[in-house]
Amino acid sequence: MPEPAEMSGPEVAKTPGGGAPGKEGKEPVANGHSEEGSNPFAEYMWMENEEEYNRQVEEELLEQEFLERCFQEMLDEEDQDWFIPARDLPSVSVGQIQQQLNGLSVNDGNSEEIARKSSLNPEAKEFVPGVKY
């Protein structure tokens, strides 16, 4: 059993003398009070700080709820940042994709015009990565 100084709540009433200071080791009488009867409410003294205890527990519960909410918001934000194909891509059938691919073509008609307007040097050596000229 913990020391009387560490007890709170109804456990104090179970100690000899009802938890009243200076009453350790004295036997309670049948009515639960010591023979001297200096404090008839000694077994209820734990209730003295009940409001403070309730306030403290309520603060802890609110803090825990706040942390859970923040954690959930963080997970939701992280989900939004990730690319998830099933969620982020429009649902397109294979037939639609094949139609789009069939519509693509390489247009060689403009390549001559693009080459004439280009500012690149057609006489330059071919670029090879890692080779210094």
Side-chain angles (χ1 to χ4, degrees), residues 6 15 19 24 31 41 49 51 77 95 116 129 132:
E6 296 175 4
T15 61
E24 292 85 10
N31 66 2
F41 301 104
N49 297 324
E51 289 177 9
E77 286 176 11
R116 266 188 278 123
K132 293 187 180 186

Side-chain angles (χ1 to χ4, degrees), residues 30-133:
N31 66 2
H33 300 292
S34 64
E35 290 179 18
E36 295 172 15
S38 63
N39 189 354
F41 301 104
E43 64 186 80
Y44 303 104
M45 291 305 289
W46 66 271
M47 293 181 182
E48 180 178 17
N49 297 324
E50 184 177 13
E51 289 177 9
E52 175 67 22
Y53 175 77
N54 288 343
R55 185 192 60 75
Q56 195 174 21
V57 168
E58 187 176 349
E59 274 182 19
E60 290 173 7
L61 290 173
L62 289 173
E63 182 179 350
Q64 182 179 2
E65 180 184 331
F66 174 74
L67 289 174
E68 288 173 2
R69 243 186 1 257
C70 288
F71 188 71
Q72 187 60 45
E73 285 178 20
M74 183 183 69
L75 289 175
D76 292 343
E77 286 176 11
E78 190 175 280
D79 282 347
Q80 290 173 358
D81 291 344
W82 286 90
F83 176 75
I84 302 172
R87 180 191 70 196
D88 299 333
L89 289 178
S91 58
V92 179
S93 70
V94 175
Q96 289 173 323
I97 292 173
Q98 285 178 341
Q99 251 182 345
Q100 291 173 354
L101 288 175
N102 290 337
L104 297 177
S105 66
V106 178
N107 190 355
D108 288 332
N110 282 341
S111 60
E112 300 267 339
E113 185 179 330
I114 292 172
R116 266 188 278 123
K117 292 180 180 179
S118 174
S119 60
L120 297 175
N121 180 1
E123 304 300 322
K125 292 181 181 179
E126 183 180 347
F127 174 75
V128 179
V131 175
K132 293 187 180 186
Y133 298 99

